[in-house]
Amino acid sequence: MKLLRYGDKGQERPALLDNNGQLRDLSAVVADIAGETLSPQGIARLQAIDPSTLPKVEGSPRIGACVGQVGKFICIGLNYADHAAETGAAIPAEPVVFSKWTSAIVGPDDTIEIPRNSRKTDWEVELGVVIGKGGRYISESDALEHVAGYCVINDVSEREFQLELGGTWDKGKGCDTFGPLGPWLVTRDEIADPHQLDLWLEVDGHRYQNGNTRTMIFQIPKIISYLSQFMSLQSGDVISTGTPPGVGLGIKPEPVYLRAGQHIRLGISGLGEQNQRTVNAD
């Protein structure tokens, strides 16, 4: 099942995508694709619905972030060995954890704002994991039972803010518009193996990233179990699991960064595509 949210910013409505690619409105069934709707019981309730009985969504509305009311937006850094190498970083012994602020979340095709004073805004295609069943001290063997589904994330990053201004990475990761989610949340049952997914990203038609989730250093069960040692995970929390090589920072002989007026296109097999234009922040 592919769940999504559509409509103007701040007024998104819940929907699903039927087998014919038609959007079907879920507003009469659930208030949002968020919180308890993503619990195992909530997902089972939605899966029991015949999509043909739901109202069609006409036209081509804006698609919003596929999860609403996100409580935590947690990210894992340097989680692909070849990406760590291109940035000159050592292979981490434990998952590198940082946060993106929830105010960074936007729709998959919304514009990305290059922040004021930015010189090094970069891209990162990533597999997103959406928590369905909350918990803490989760075992690796049970971890996937806590997953509602998966989505595409562009972990947009300002490298100077992140790496050169001191302190933690967070200030370069959580700028407004730096967290496009979607287009869909694809429920766990549709993805046979989340560690065998191709993921890619292009800027102005040039393919920079071409990877596969099989090269993750820490796989999803490990990530969920590890995070749950330090915080409770709750329905609707989003985890971004790291990026393969090909980010602008790692390009030789000189890094390449985003500027206003460019087109970013990215996707993950089975999870859909995102398309974004870059603009300068007001």
Side-chain angles (χ1 to χ4, degrees), residues 245-268:
V247 300
L249 174 66
I251 295 173
K252 304 293 188 295
E254 293 292 334
V256 174
Y257 296 114
L258 294 166
R259 62 185 185 277
Q262 293 189 290
H263 174 215
I264 306 169
R265 180 171 169 258
L266 60 148
I268 301 177

Side-chain angles (χ1 to χ4, degrees), residues 15-234:
L16 62 77
L17 189 73
D18 70 18
N19 290 334
N20 297 316
Q22 172 68 52
L23 270 61
R24 299 279 183 166
D25 188 275
L26 282 168
S27 298
V29 183
V30 294
D32 202 355
I33 307 299
E36 288 304 306
T37 298
L38 298 171
S39 69
Q41 298 81 4
I43 293 293
R45 180 186 179 202
L46 295 179
Q47 288 176 325
I49 297 170
D50 178 355
S52 67
T53 65
L54 299 170
K56 291 182 179 181
V57 177
E58 303 297 343
S60 301
R62 169 187 173 269
I63 303 301
C66 59
V67 183
Q69 306 172 47
V70 175
K72 294 190 289 295
F73 193 170
I74 312 160
C75 302
I76 306 299
L78 303 173
N79 197 31
Y80 288 70
D82 33 12
H83 169 58
E86 74 174 346
T87 63
I91 302 298
E94 296 193 22
V96 175
V97 181
F98 62 93
S99 295
K100 290 177 89 78
W101 317 127
T102 56
S103 53
I105 294 173
V106 291
D109 301 332
D110 289 344
T111 55
I112 289 176
E113 296 181 0
I114 297 176
R116 291 183 185 179
N117 304 312
S118 168
R119 297 183 296 176
K120 299 181 179 181
T121 297
D122 203 348
W123 57 82
E124 296 189 10
V125 59
E126 304 200 3
L127 173 65
V129 176
V130 180
I131 296 296
K133 178 183 176 182
R136 60 176 181 161
Y137 306 119
I138 298 166
S139 68
E140 287 189 44
S141 60
D142 294 335
L144 290 182
E145 295 179 11
H146 291 258
V147 175
Y150 304 97
C151 66
V152 181
I153 296 177
N154 188 355
D155 175 19
V156 187
S157 308
E158 212 298 342
R159 302 302 189 187
E160 183 177 13
F161 298 177
Q162 175 191 355
L163 302 171
E164 300 174 34
L165 299 187
T168 66
W169 286 7
D170 305 61
K171 68 173 73 75
K173 292 287 191 170
C175 301
D176 290 355
T177 74
F178 273 23
L181 303 183
W184 319 304
L185 186 160
V186 179
T187 50
R188 187 180 77 228
D189 58 293
E190 286 203 15
I191 304 300
D193 186 352
H195 305 107
Q196 294 290 333
L197 301 177
D198 293 327
L199 60 174
W200 52 271
L201 182 144
E202 299 174 352
V203 180
D204 291 339
H206 180 84
R207 181 70 60 97
Y208 284 99
Q209 291 190 272
N210 227 356
N212 188 285
T213 55
R214 74 172 66 93
T215 66
M216 284 183 179
I217 299 168
F218 304 106
Q219 293 193 328
I220 292 164
K222 172 66 175 181
I223 291 169
I224 291 173
S225 178
Y226 185 83
L227 291 174
S228 76
Q229 307 307 304
F230 307 106
M231 68 192 83
S232 61
L233 296 175
Q234 297 156 339

